[in-house]
Amino acid sequence: MADAAERDAMRRALELARRGPRGVNPQVGALILSPTGDVLAEGWHRGAGTAHAEVDALSRLAPDAARGATAVVTLEPCNHTGRTGPCAVALLEAGVSRVVYALDDPTAVASGGAERLRAGGAAVEAGVLADEAHDLLDSWLTVQQLGRPFVTVKWAQSLDGRAAADDGTSQWITGPAARADVHRRRAEADAIAVGTGTLLGDDPSLTARYDDGSLYESQPAPVVIGRSAVPADAAVRRHPRPLSIFPTHDLAAILAELRAAGAHRVFVEGGPTLASAFLAAGLTDELLVYVAPVLLGGRRLALGDIGVGTIASARRLSVTSLDTLGDDLLVVASPRNGDH
């Protein structure tokens, strides 16, 4: 059972982990404690190719200073040689006699560190402050489970299911409170995707902005999907982050590239064609539907063909939340198991 000093050290390790970048590798923090519970060293992972948190902490100690010490780590020490060696071995070689960690490593390539530590004679305790660690690594863990980024598909519609009036105008169906909520959610994403149809029709900037027009500090990377050329003067080319253009309809391949670039959460905001394509491909994990109390009628439906030919094939959803935003309603829903 972890004692009070080890639990306090885990809280500190979680704070340190947040200093690391969110990307392909998990955010991890580590502390080395003396046998009496004093902090000997701290460390965290600073990104791909850099020392892992445990090794970062050990590097701050003199030789043999960690002998008999306890390592407190937010994620199971890895048992893998990649750009760096296995942390489980590094801890054993340093003489660490006890390892306390929060979460098991879910990846097949890196897991097994706890078993290796035990085989090397170290005492190991798992699950300390696991809920807090899970909150920290939620998006990274989701990517490991899905094998791709978590995809949110968003659209705004009238009460009768239209995304625009018959002449194509759509600004604005929803009110300022709903639009502010969209920008807040954009800032939480790693990438924001739009189709070339919407790009050419609306010329969106794809930035996350406050009500006064200023930019959020955190910005999603802009992504354009489709074969039409992006104009040289398009607003998205002035985005503070580099623009990625995918002249393909292979959504799975696009998500694989975005994952390789470190994207955990992709926000799809690209109009009916792109939204329908993600849904038809079963590549949607969350739906955000902003419904305005207005009627438009006409042909401009919020969704096109998603592969449902009969009611028996309907995509069934579970509603996560219903929120009122000014005059508008936000429905947050996710596919039921098997209905991706």
Side-chain angles (χ1 to χ4, degrees):
M1 178 72 72
D3 62 23
E6 290 169 345
R7 295 176 68 83
D8 287 344
M10 185 65 78
R11 293 186 184 92
R12 175 59 179 166
L14 289 166
E15 291 177 7
L16 294 170
R18 290 185 176 88
R19 297 183 183 181
R22 192 172 74 175
V24 175
N25 298 102
Q27 295 167 293
V28 181
L31 272 71
I32 308 297
L33 303 182
S34 73
T36 58
D38 296 320
V39 177
L40 299 176
E42 298 180 338
W44 68 93
H45 184 48
R46 291 166 169 78
T50 65
H52 289 189
E54 303 94 313
V55 174
D56 184 48
L58 290 171
S59 70
R60 303 175 192 283
L61 295 174
D64 293 329
R67 197 155 299 280
T70 294
V72 177
V73 193
T74 56
L75 185 68
E76 178 186 8
C78 69
N79 188 34
H80 165 65
T81 300
R83 297 189 198 181
T84 59
C87 294
V89 172
L91 291 169
L92 290 171
E93 290 179 345
V96 169
S97 62
R98 175 172 166 79
V99 177
V100 176
Y101 69 89
L103 292 177
D104 292 328
D105 193 312
T107 61
V109 69
S111 62
E115 183 178 346
R116 190 162 187 174
L117 286 163
R118 291 189 180 99
V124 178
E125 181 170 348
V128 177
L129 301 190
D131 288 345
E132 290 89 332
H134 195 282
D135 289 343
L136 169 68
L137 292 178
D138 178 58
S139 62
W140 182 81
L141 292 167
T142 298
V143 169
Q144 309 316 307
Q145 178 185 6
L146 294 173
R148 59 166 174 77
F150 183 94
V151 175
T152 295
V153 173
K154 167 265 174 184
W155 69 80
Q157 66 171 57
S158 62
L159 195 60
D160 55 345
R162 270 61 180 179
D166 235 18
D167 65 354
T169 55
S170 61
Q171 296 181 345
W172 299 102
I173 290 177
T174 54
R179 297 198 296 275
D181 187 75
V182 170
H183 283 277
R184 179 184 64 79
R185 293 175 186 270
R186 283 184 181 183
E188 295 173 349
D190 300 302
I192 180 169
V194 67
T196 52
T198 297
L199 180 90
L200 296 174
D202 295 345
D203 193 26
S205 65
L206 301 185
T207 52
R209 304 182 299 278
Y210 291 104
D211 292 343
D212 63 4
S214 61
L215 297 181
Y216 276 80
E217 181 179 352
S218 176
Q219 291 291 325
V223 173
V224 175
I225 299 173
R227 296 193 174 98
S228 298
V230 177
D233 61 347
V236 72
R237 292 193 182 276
R238 299 187 291 276
H239 196 286
R241 296 189 63 183
L243 171 64
S244 296
I245 302 173
F246 294 95
T248 176
H249 295 152
D250 189 341
L251 300 181
I254 292 169
L255 291 176
E257 286 198 42
L258 292 175
R259 179 190 180 188
H264 293 174
R265 295 185 177 272
V266 175
F267 197 77
V268 177
E269 200 175 342
T273 300
L274 192 61
S276 300
F278 270 93
L279 283 164
L283 294 173
T284 302
D285 304 296
E286 179 182 61
L287 290 171
L288 302 177
V289 183
Y290 295 84
V291 183
V294 61
L295 301 175
L296 294 176
R299 302 161 295 166
R300 305 277 185 166
L301 295 174
L303 277 185
D305 181 13
I306 60 171
V308 175
T310 177
I311 193 67
S313 302
R315 302 292 181 92
R316 302 293 177 179
L317 306 173
S318 296
V319 174
T320 304
S321 65
L322 289 168
D323 295 299
T324 301
L325 300 170
D327 292 332
D328 305 315
L329 180 68
L330 169 60
V331 182
V332 182
S334 58
R336 294 182 184 176
N337 291 338
D339 280 332
H340 268 72

